Amino acid sequence: MTIRLGERGIRVVLLDIEGTTTPIAFVHEVLFAFARTHLQSYLDAHRDSGEVAEVRNRLAVEHAADVARGDAPPSWSIGTGDDAIRSIAAYASWLMDRDRKSPGLKLLQGLIWEEGYRACALSGEVYDDVPGAMRRWRETGVAVAVYSSGSVLAQRRLFESTPHGDLMPLVDRLFDTAVGAKVDPASYAAIARALARAPGEILFVSDVAAELVAARQAGMAVVLSVRMGNPPQAAAGEFEFIRSFDEIG
Ligand SMILES: [Mg+2]
């Protein structure tokens, strides 16, 4: 055991997902691929829903901004007919190709994933050491929280549907970027306030050095997650690191 929570006065372990609890490949090769494959069929099946109307409204604003910038996105059709639905799908694919942080796309992906989880066509993935570590920490009175850029709903579905069973009973709180960006120290201060803990009582685990820097600036203890398949981090040497949650106890 490299990191002894008790000795360091840690009361909450705050976990990143992608590259920390879950392989980065799951997000890219399973989740993103699923959204892309089911884009057109989802939009066709739900074209008159309030959710798709909200997606369309958000994307229309983003599309106008792309046109104004001269980015030349695929053409946009107004309404709910076949042309309009095809144009939403084409623009969403265009945004995915560019890996855009688009609010409209994120909402649409979330809706597609939600349907996939509900139909059991999607299930969550975590590294084998994750469930046991969560149980071990909680048995010693240490809470488990999650902070990820995926929405709270998407996080919940992931942890509910793992091959190890429903892990949500082991998770005390979920945070997404509604609290702020993962590289902003203010986000970590807000999480500490929400958990009613001093930042120094929280250990943040992430595979991204820039996130650890932000959390450390807010006063949290930090540790770098080094998992197979994670891209190497510049300045990794300035952090303690773990290769498995078995090293945190
Ligand atoms: Mg990550």
Side-chain angles (χ1 to χ4, degrees), residues 16-20 22 24 147 182 205-208 211 230:
D16 164 63
I17 293 181
E18 195 180 339
T20 302
T22 299
I24 291 175
Y147 179 32
K182 294 190 78 184
V205 189
S206 170
D207 60 315
V208 175
E211 297 174 6
N230 287 0

Side-chain angles (χ1 to χ4, degrees), residues 9 11-12 188 192-193 195-203 218-221:
R11 305 302 309 276
V12 183
Y188 298 88
R193 278 196 302 277
L195 294 170
R197 288 289 175 194
E201 295 177 309
I202 302 170
L203 174 70
M220 286 188 188

Side-chain angles (χ1 to χ4, degrees), residues 61-147:
V61 173
E62 295 174 38
H63 187 274
D66 279 328
V67 170
R69 265 197 304 271
D71 276 354
S75 69
W76 185 259
S77 301
I78 295 165
T80 57
D82 284 346
D83 285 353
I85 292 299
R86 264 196 299 275
S87 81
I88 296 173
Y91 179 49
S93 296
W94 185 86
L95 292 169
M96 288 180 193
D97 291 342
R98 282 154 188 78
D99 201 18
R100 284 277 190 86
K101 304 279 179 243
S102 148
L105 175 61
K106 207 165 158 175
L107 175 62
L108 178 55
Q109 286 171 323
L111 292 166
I112 296 171
W113 292 334
E114 177 68 10
E115 192 166 82
Y117 280 120
R118 229 182 299 143
C120 298
L122 270 180
S123 57
E125 195 176 324
V126 295
Y127 290 105
D128 287 342
D129 50 270
V130 170
M134 286 178 167
R135 271 186 210 101
R136 193 171 65 242
W137 301 334
R138 288 169 55 95
E139 276 164 14
T140 60
V142 173
V144 175
V146 172
Y147 179 32

